[in-house]
Amino acid sequence: MSKQAEFAVILKMNPMFADLGADELQRLSGLCHTQQLATGEVLFQKGDPGDALFGVRRGQMRIETGASDGSRLTLNFMGSGDLFGEVAVLDGQDRTADATAGEPTELFVLRREDFLGFLEREPKVAVRLIALLCQRIRWQSERMEESVLQPLPVRLARRLCALAEDFGSEVHISQEQLGIFVGAARESVNRQLQTWRKDGIVDLQRGRIMLHNMTKLTAVARND
C-alpha cells in the first residue's frame, strides 16, 4: 500500500473525514507529504504558526504545555492513525501547545493552504470539522471535571484505557509522564500502579506498563 493510500485510510477512520467517498479521500491524501522525527524531536512549539495538519503514520506524539515554574502538562498522546493540529490549521493562528515525538515517528503532513483549498471545494468536510471541534471542547470539559472531581484511581484507569485504544496492552510511558498526564505526583501514581500489579491488573517494566486485565481496569475507569 502506498503512503498516500495509508493516509486515505487514516482520514477515513477520523470522524471529520468519515463521510467522504473514495475519490475525495484520494484527492485529499494526494496533497500530503511525510516527515520523520527522532525521539524527543520537537515538531512545533507553542506560538509557532499553525501551517499544517498532521497524521501519525507510526510512532507517538506528545502534546504538551508548560508553566512559568518549568513544570510540564501532557494534554494528549497521539498514536498511529491519529490526526492533530486541526484548530491552528483552520485559523492560521499560533499553536497553543508543543508537539514532541515520544519515539521515532513518521507523520503525514497536509499544509494549510492545500487543506483550505480543499475545504472550499468540499463544504461538507467543513461541516464535519465543526462537529469535531465541538467534540474536542466537550472532551476538554470532561477532563477538567475529571481532574477536579474524580479520585486518582479513576483518572489513572481512564487514561490507561484511552492509551490502550491507540497503543494496545503495552503502553510505553514513564510513571512521571503518566503523573503529569493525570495531574498527580509520580509517587502517588506508583503506589496505585503497585496496588494494581498485586491484583494482576498491570505489570510494570522500565518505561512501560503492561495491561493484563482490561476488564478490571475498565471497571475502575467507570467508577463501578
Side-chain angles (χ1 to χ4, degrees):
M1 182 183 293
S2 68
K3 290 184 178 181
Q4 289 184 356
E6 289 183 37
F7 190 37
V9 172
I10 290 176
L11 292 173
K12 185 66 176 178
M13 293 188 300
N14 187 277
M16 184 168 64
F17 303 104
D19 291 340
L20 295 184
D23 291 342
E24 295 166 322
L25 289 171
Q26 184 178 4
R27 291 196 298 273
L28 184 57
S29 62
L31 301 174
C32 80
H33 66 277
T34 57
Q35 181 176 349
Q36 307 278 345
L37 297 174
T39 302
E41 186 173 352
V42 176
L43 175 64
F44 56 74
Q45 293 180 305
K46 183 176 181 179
D48 286 349
D51 56 2
L53 170 72
F54 300 97
V56 183
R57 186 186 185 209
R58 58 179 178 84
Q60 181 197 83
M61 296 296 299
R62 296 196 306 269
I63 309 302
E64 303 174 317
T65 190
S68 58
D69 62 1
S71 62
R72 304 290 296 169
L73 174 64
T74 300
L75 303 175
N76 209 349
F77 287 89
M78 298 294 175
S80 298
D82 287 334
L83 295 179
F84 62 98
E86 298 96 332
V87 174
V89 80
L90 281 173
D91 62 16
Q93 298 299 307
D94 295 345
R95 299 287 184 185
T96 57
D98 305 338
T100 305
E103 59 186 63
T105 299
E106 183 175 8
L107 299 173
F108 293 110
V109 183
L110 184 60
R111 296 182 303 174
R112 181 173 189 266
E113 57 265 35
D114 295 331
F115 184 51
L116 293 183
F118 180 81
L119 289 182
E120 291 176 357
R121 299 187 298 272
E122 305 287 348
K124 67 180 180 180
V125 180
V127 175
R128 294 291 295 175
L129 183 58
I130 292 171
L132 178 67
L133 294 177
C134 291
Q135 183 182 21
R136 291 288 179 87
I137 292 172
R138 291 178 184 273
W139 182 87
Q140 291 287 358
S141 297
E142 289 172 0
R143 185 174 181 194
M144 183 178 297
E145 179 181 349
E146 173 185 291
S147 65
V148 173
L149 301 178
Q150 296 298 334
L152 176 59
V154 175
R155 303 201 312 268
L156 193 57
R158 289 180 180 178
R159 295 283 70 78
L160 288 174
C161 287
L163 290 169
E165 290 181 4
D166 281 332
F167 305 109
S169 61
E170 182 176 326
V171 178
H172 289 251
I173 185 173
S174 70
Q175 294 183 29
E176 182 177 6
Q177 289 173 326
L178 192 56
I180 293 172
F181 200 37
V182 300
R186 179 192 177 283
E187 293 77 12
S188 299
V189 170
N190 179 261
R191 283 195 296 270
Q192 184 59 55
L193 290 174
Q194 292 293 346
T195 298
W196 286 344
R197 182 184 62 79
K198 294 176 183 177
D199 293 339
I201 298 175
V202 304
D203 189 21
L204 307 178
Q205 299 182 17
R206 185 176 181 84
R208 292 183 296 171
I209 300 173
M210 316 296 290
L211 309 179
H212 289 324
N213 193 323
M214 288 302 300
T215 300
K216 289 185 178 180
L217 192 65
T218 302
V220 177
R222 292 197 302 259
N223 203 12
D224 290 347

